[in-house]
Amino acid sequence: MGSASKQSSQPTGKQPKPGSKAAQQADRRARIAELRAIEQRRERRNKILTITVSAVLVLAMAGGGTWLALDAKHKKDAKAAADAAPIEGVKTWDKLGRTHVQTEVKYDQTPPVGGDHNPVWATCMGNVYDQPVKNENAVHSLEHGAVWVTYNGKATPDDIKTLGEKVKTTPYSLMSPYPDEQGTITLTAWGTQLTVDNAQDPRIEKFFTKYVQGPQTQEPGASCSSGAM
C-alpha cells in the first residue's frame, strides 16, 4: 500500500528543464496556440457583426419597401375617396360636343366647360398666363384632363399669388384671367365647374385632387405640353 502511494505521487511525464531547447519549443507552441485562439475569436466576432449588419440592412430595405407600398396605397385610396366624394357647389354638364373646329365657338357657360374646340390645346403643364387664353384652346386642355383656374378683377393679389403657386406645381392645370366671368375665382374641368370667393376656400384643393386627370377626362394621358400659348 505504502509503495503504491509513493508511486502515484511521482510525475507521469518527463518535464523539460527550464531554459532548455525543449522548454523553448513548448513555450513557442503554447504562444502559437494562444494567438490562433485570439484570431478565431476575432473572426467569430467579425462574422457575427457582418451577419447582424446584413440583417439590419435587409430589414431596413424591407421596411422601406413596405412603407413605399403603403404610401402608394394610401395615396391611391385617398384619390379614390376624393373621386367618390361630392364637392359642395360643383355644377356638372353632359352631352358636350368634341368636334375640332377652326372657328370661334359660342359656349353656353362662362368660362366654358366643354364642347367643340380648336385642334390645338393650351399648354397646361402648370402654366400661369397673365393674359386671357382663347376659349377654344382651353377647352381642348379640359378634354385632356386639365383643371383651368380663372379669375376676374375681384380677386386680390394674394388670391392670384396663392392660386398661381398651386397651378405651377400641378401638371395638367393652367390659370389665366377671365374678366367676364361672374364669380371671383372659377375652377373648371371638362363638364364640371366650381366658383369660389377667395383662394383660401378648402374646396379648391379638393377640386384639384378630384379633377386633375380625374374621372371626367375625355382623353386620359393625352399631352398637355407643346400646345398653344
Side-chain angles (χ1 to χ4, degrees), residues 92-146:
T92 59
W93 294 261
D94 56 11
K95 298 180 180 179
L96 299 169
R98 293 178 56 198
T99 302
H100 287 178
V101 296
Q102 298 288 350
T103 58
E104 185 175 312
V105 179
K106 183 178 180 181
Y107 294 102
D108 294 332
Q109 302 83 27
T110 306
V113 301
D116 296 344
H117 50 269
N118 192 276
V120 181
W121 56 89
T123 303
C124 44
M125 291 300 288
N127 296 79
V128 176
Y129 301 100
D130 57 7
Q131 297 294 326
V133 301
K134 290 184 177 180
N135 286 333
E136 292 78 13
N137 299 120
V139 169
H140 197 156
S141 300
L142 302 181
E143 185 182 45
H144 288 191

Side-chain angles (χ1 to χ4, degrees), residues 124-127 141 144-148 167 170-174 208 211-213 217 219-225:
C124 44
M125 291 300 288
N127 296 79
S141 300
H144 288 191
V147 164
W148 182 19
V167 170
T170 308
Y172 285 91
S173 72
L174 70 160
F208 270 82
Y211 294 111
V212 170
Q213 283 285 284
T217 303
E219 297 180 0
S223 176
C224 232
S225 60

Side-chain angles (χ1 to χ4, degrees), residues 11-91:
T12 58
K14 187 177 180 180
Q15 299 295 323
K17 294 180 180 180
S20 66
K21 185 176 181 180
Q24 292 175 355
Q25 290 177 342
D27 289 343
R28 183 171 178 273
R29 287 194 295 270
R31 180 57 180 165
I32 291 173
E34 182 181 359
L35 291 174
R36 286 178 177 172
I38 292 172
E39 181 64 22
Q40 288 174 351
R41 288 195 294 270
R42 182 163 57 246
E43 289 179 352
R44 284 196 295 270
R45 286 196 301 270
N46 290 341
K47 185 176 181 180
I48 292 171
L49 180 60
T50 299
I51 293 173
T52 301
V53 171
S54 298
V56 170
L57 289 175
V58 169
L59 288 173
M61 292 174 65
T66 300
W67 183 87
L68 289 174
L70 290 174
D71 185 58
K73 184 178 185 302
H74 174 74
K75 290 179 179 178
K76 184 178 180 180
D77 291 346
K79 174 67 174 174
D83 289 346
I87 301 174
E88 183 180 358
V90 166
K91 298 178 181 179

Side-chain angles (χ1 to χ4, degrees), residues 107-212:
Y107 294 102
D108 294 332
Q109 302 83 27
T110 306
V113 301
D116 296 344
H117 50 269
N118 192 276
V120 181
W121 56 89
T123 303
C124 44
M125 291 300 288
N127 296 79
V128 176
Y129 301 100
D130 57 7
Q131 297 294 326
V133 301
K134 290 184 177 180
N135 286 333
E136 292 78 13
N137 299 120
V139 169
H140 197 156
S141 300
L142 302 181
E143 185 182 45
H144 288 191
V147 164
W148 182 19
V149 180
T150 54
Y151 58 92
N152 63 19
K154 297 178 183 178
T156 67
D158 285 343
D159 286 333
I160 296 170
K161 180 181 178 181
T162 299
L163 293 168
E165 290 174 349
K166 175 63 178 177
V167 170
K168 288 177 182 179
T169 59
T170 308
Y172 285 91
S173 72
L174 70 160
M175 175 175 163
S176 64
Y178 206 107
D180 296 337
E181 69 180 32
Q182 291 185 348
T184 304
I185 297 167
T186 305
L187 289 85
T188 306
W190 184 271
T192 311
Q193 197 166 78
L194 172 68
T195 300
V196 298
D197 294 329
N198 58 70
Q200 284 68 48
D201 195 305
R203 292 175 294 172
I204 293 175
E205 185 66 30
K206 294 179 181 180
F207 194 95
F208 270 82
T209 300
K210 184 169 185 175
Y211 294 111
V212 170

